[in-house]
Amino acid sequence: DAGVIQSPRHEVTEMGQEVTLRCKPISGHDYLFWYRQTMMRGLELLIYFNNNVPIDDSGMPEDRFSAKMPNASFSTLKIQPSEPRDSAVYFCASSLGGALGANVLTFGAGSRLTVL
Amino acid sequence: GIQVEQSPPDLILQEGANSTLRCNFSDSVNNLQWFHQNPWGQLINLFYIPSGTKQNGRLSATTVATERYSLLYISSSQTTDSGVYFCAADTGTASKLTFGTGTRLQVTL
């Protein structure tokens, strides 16, 4: 398996523009997570899905952020409109879930977002 | 939610030295994982260890769940061990992990 695939790897945009980040989890993994990493706040969980259904979005900072998982092999994180404080590295991760011991989290390479 | 604290925040070692990184957590956990973030930003899972001891080459980890801490041991450190080591924990089973602030390790020649 190619691992968790994220795109784009780098995105530079201007304030007010819409940003869409994409993720393809490992095939067969039931759980998908979106994390954000900043110097100030470290690694924060934004939202996670189980079997394509959003389970907990309490970490989504505000209504400008939305996430979808239309099928088992694809998820998007959208920011509209973007603001400079959204600049961060956004990571997608997936895991098998279910039985204890199957919850090893595998991360993608991340999408570095810069909002000017 | 659960609180995860790591120490030390920074560590500088000479190649060949050993080190111990500590992770304290505030609640009973069903899920405890250690990660290494390399200088290029990639997060690599090192251990899934909610309890007990595991070893993988020069790395080993021990979690004492009853006392709410975990230790990561690095022996005979190499420059490629440099980066940030994160501990992450969850009280449930879904890998909804809360991350600590990390230990930044620099291994010098």
Side-chain angles (χ1 to χ4, degrees):
Chain A
D1 200 315
V4 177
I5 307 298
Q6 291 188 245
S7 65
R9 292 293 313 279
H10 302 274
E11 173 101 5
V12 180
T13 190
E14 292 190 345
M15 183 173 63
Q17 296 299 303
E18 178 179 291
V19 173
T20 299
L21 307 178
R22 297 173 178 81
C23 176
K24 175 178 166 49
I26 291 174
S27 177
H29 280 193
D30 295 329
Y31 287 82
L32 183 140
F33 305 81
W34 283 100
Y35 280 86
R36 177 172 70 174
Q37 185 175 33
T38 61
M39 289 293 293
M40 291 297 295
R41 300 176 67 89
L43 275 156
E44 307 173 273
L45 177 65
L46 300 177
I47 185 171
Y48 81 94
F49 296 81
N50 178 211
N51 292 324
N52 314 338
V53 176
I55 303 299
D56 186 345
D57 65 355
S58 59
M60 296 285 261
E62 48 198 274
D63 292 345
R64 298 184 298 106
F65 286 69
S66 63
K68 294 182 179 180
M69 192 165 185
N71 57 62
S73 59
F74 184 65
S75 177
T76 59
L77 178 67
K78 189 171 293 187
I79 309 172
Q80 167 63 17
S82 58
E83 296 182 3
R85 60 189 167 132
D86 302 331
S87 297
V89 180
Y90 291 82
F91 286 100
C92 177
S94 69
S95 74
L96 274 171
L100 295 178
N103 294 326
V104 173
L105 205 57
T106 302
F107 279 86
S111 294
R112 181 177 294 276
L113 173 65
T114 302
V115 183
L116 303 174
Chain B
I2 190 170
Q3 306 297 312
V4 180
E5 296 180 352
Q6 293 186 243
S7 61
D10 296 280
L11 190 57
I12 300 175
L13 298 175
Q14 273 200 319
E15 197 171 44
N18 303 327
S19 62
T20 301
L21 283 57
R22 187 177 179 102
C23 171
N24 292 329
F25 40 92
S26 62
D27 205 344
S28 300
V29 297
N30 282 319
N31 193 334
L32 189 292
Q33 300 185 34
W34 284 95
F35 296 85
H36 175 223
Q37 187 167 38
N38 65 26
W40 296 271
Q42 180 68 38
L43 280 157
I44 305 296
N45 191 289
L46 298 175
F47 293 102
Y48 169 85
I49 187 165
S51 63
T53 297
K54 289 186 178 179
Q55 180 155 7
N56 184 0
R58 297 181 295 102
L59 302 182
S60 63
T62 295
T63 297
V64 183
T66 53
E67 297 188 23
R68 300 184 181 173
Y69 73 89
S70 183
L71 302 174
L72 178 69
Y73 304 97
I74 304 174
S75 65
S76 304
S77 58
Q78 300 176 358
T79 55
T80 52
D81 296 331
S82 296
V84 183
Y85 289 81
F86 289 102
C87 168
D90 181 23
T91 56
T93 59
S95 283
K96 182 187 169 185
L97 296 173
T98 296
F99 279 74
T101 52
T103 293
R104 183 174 299 276
L105 173 65
Q106 183 180 351
V107 181
T108 61
L109 293 172

